[in-house]
Amino acid sequence: MKNIIIPVDFSQQSEFALQTGAILAKKHNATLHVLHMLELSDALISISSNESKNEMFFMLSLAKKRFETFLEKDYLDGVNVIPVIKKHKVYKEVDTVAKELNADLIIMGSQGITLQDGIFAGSNAEKMVRNSSTPVLIVKTEPKGFDLNNVVLATDMSLESVEAYKKANQLLSKLGSKVHPVYVNRPNNGFLSSKEFKRKAEEFKMVGGSNKVDFIAGYTIEDGVIQFADETNADALVVLTNARKGLNHLIKGSISENLANHSKRPVLSFKL
């Protein structure tokens, strides 16, 4: 692991993400790229008047000053930290920066279903979880004793999820994580008999998936995954998201978003 991106708005959630990044950076000798969005509109950027230029320079100077204070933390001692300032407040720009840096991970703080201004309102964290090409780790609390030794990975054992499963396994292996894949059997949607589950698990294994998938019953996938995480005392939940968009997303929702909103544990997502 070489590069970790931490989007920040200088809030408490920002600091939770920064602390988490520092822990991982020290363990894996990674660089933290701490990213702040200035929230400038396209209209303001395109105006060439002195007034608009002065406003942009003021916001840039203010952000640099806030960065100086924000990054004066004892837990960052010995960590290579690079502050980055961008013009917009758009989750796509975070993904663009991640691709440019060939980042291994994006870490974001979130208040989940609590609404507030700033990039850590639930909606922005959800967009990152659903759309980012780079794995996204969502944290909600101060990372006391944080590690990723024991993680639960939710899987539907579909053939199209195998590549994302391999990608997740590759990163989690670097992080030293023990992975517990689990399939949630629901009563009204995707129910499998024991015989059907064994056959599907065997097919999943044959094409490169896990050779052992646990089986748990739940009314929803989210409930089942959280229940299994409680039973195994997991450090984090891992989900493979298919980035649903438009009407399909409105109808079906997003399991990754729901887990990011409702789980007390950190949630790590990988895009299919």
Side-chain angles (χ1 to χ4, degrees), residues 186-213:
R186 294 164 290 166
N188 300 314
N189 192 342
F191 176 83
L192 295 179
S193 67
S194 296
K195 184 177 180 179
E196 290 170 329
F197 171 78
K198 289 179 181 178
R199 184 181 70 248
K200 190 166 186 174
E202 184 63 26
E203 291 172 352
F204 186 60
K205 181 181 73 173
M206 292 297 292
V207 293
S210 174
N211 60 5
K212 183 181 184 300
V213 179

Side-chain angles (χ1 to χ4, degrees), residues 135 153-155 158-174 179 181 203-211 238-240 270-272:
L153 187 153
T155 177
S158 63
L159 301 186
E160 60 265 29
S161 72
V162 171
E163 289 308 310
Y165 173 82
K166 290 179 179 178
K167 180 180 177 181
N169 244 7
Q170 185 177 19
L171 177 61
L172 291 166
S173 177
K174 291 179 183 178
V179 182
E203 291 172 352
F204 186 60
K205 181 181 73 173
M206 292 297 292
V207 293
S210 174
N211 60 5
V238 180
V239 289
L240 311 178
F270 293 82
K271 185 177 174 182
L272 297 183

Side-chain angles (χ1 to χ4, degrees), residues 5 7 18 26 99 118-119 129 155 166 180-181 188 225 227 272:
I5 293 179
L18 186 63
K26 288 177 180 178
K99 289 176 180 176
I119 63 171
V129 166
T155 177
K166 290 179 179 178
H180 302 273
N188 300 314
V225 173
Q227 177 188 336
L272 297 183

Side-chain angles (χ1 to χ4, degrees), residues 69-113:
T69 303
F70 187 72
L71 296 178
E72 288 179 354
K73 302 292 191 304
D74 291 341
Y75 58 76
L76 291 176
D77 288 347
V79 178
N80 186 23
V81 179
I82 300 175
V84 181
I85 298 176
K86 291 292 183 178
K87 296 175 181 178
H88 300 290
K89 180 187 139 182
V90 184
Y91 66 89
K92 287 182 180 178
E93 191 159 12
V94 180
D95 199 33
T96 299
V97 173
K99 289 176 180 176
E100 290 173 354
L101 295 172
N102 194 26
D104 301 284
L105 184 66
I106 296 169
I107 304 178
M108 293 186 71
S110 175
Q111 284 195 336
I113 58 176

